[in-house]
Amino acid sequence: MIKLIALDLDGTLLTPEKTISDKTRNALIELQKQGIKLILASGRPTPGLFNEAKKLKMNEYYGYLLSYNGAALHVYDSMEVLHSQTLTKDQAHRIIEHGHKYSQMTMMTYNDHTLLCENV
């Protein structure tokens, strides 16, 4: 018995036009009505999943959002954090310093609402 379906967004669930087809959306809503939980998974920050989660009515069926390439897991309706794995300050500094060795690379990071980068 299937209890949960995890779906990657970009290049998987979403069409090339970055939308969920009506057929797919209706099927996923129907599965949720049957008690199957959905997880939207992405490298995007958590708010980057809200639009698709809303279209799939995941707030009505207690779906999950797996964001930041797996570093955060939230219950969509309450935004309860079920998992969060962040870098230590030392790890972040080491990564940034390593990135500075490559002139073609721009180091950036983000939180729920802000993108931070050294070079725009």
Side-chain angles (χ1 to χ4, degrees), residues 30-46:
E30 185 58 37
L31 289 172
Q32 291 177 99
K33 288 178 182 177
Q34 296 173 25
I36 297 172
K37 298 292 182 190
L38 293 185
I39 295 179
L40 292 185
S42 180
R44 297 179 186 187
T46 305

Side-chain angles (χ1 to χ4, degrees), residues 62 74-81:
Y62 308 103
H74 293 82
V75 179
Y76 177 54
D77 70 322
S78 67
M79 291 311 296
E80 174 187 357
V81 178

Side-chain angles (χ1 to χ4, degrees), residues 2-111:
I2 298 172
K3 295 183 180 183
L4 182 139
I5 298 173
L7 301 154
D8 176 58
L9 286 184
D10 300 303
T12 306
L13 177 63
L14 300 180
T15 67
E17 293 77 32
K18 302 290 184 191
T19 62
I20 302 172
S21 74
D22 290 340
K23 182 178 179 180
T24 299
R25 186 182 69 251
N26 292 334
L28 291 172
I29 291 170
E30 185 58 37
L31 289 172
Q32 291 177 99
K33 288 178 182 177
Q34 296 173 25
I36 297 172
K37 298 292 182 190
L38 293 185
I39 295 179
L40 292 185
S42 180
R44 297 179 186 187
T46 305
L49 305 176
F50 291 168
N51 189 45
E52 287 77 14
K54 182 178 180 181
K55 288 177 182 176
L56 293 170
K57 300 183 179 185
M58 290 175 63
N59 58 316
E60 296 178 28
Y61 301 102
Y62 308 103
Y64 302 95
L65 305 177
L66 183 63
S67 53
Y68 298 106
N69 286 315
L73 177 64
H74 293 82
V75 179
Y76 177 54
D77 70 322
S78 67
M79 291 311 296
E80 174 187 357
V81 178
L82 299 178
H83 171 76
S84 178
Q85 174 129 12
T86 59
L87 298 173
T88 66
K89 195 181 267 190
D90 181 59
Q91 289 170 323
H93 284 289
R94 288 183 14 229
I95 291 169
I96 291 168
E97 288 305 314
H98 182 73
H100 286 152
K101 295 177 184 177
Y102 305 94
S103 61
Q104 73 277 15
M105 182 182 293
T106 298
M107 299 300 294
M108 66 178 72
T109 188
Y110 46 82
N111 61 23

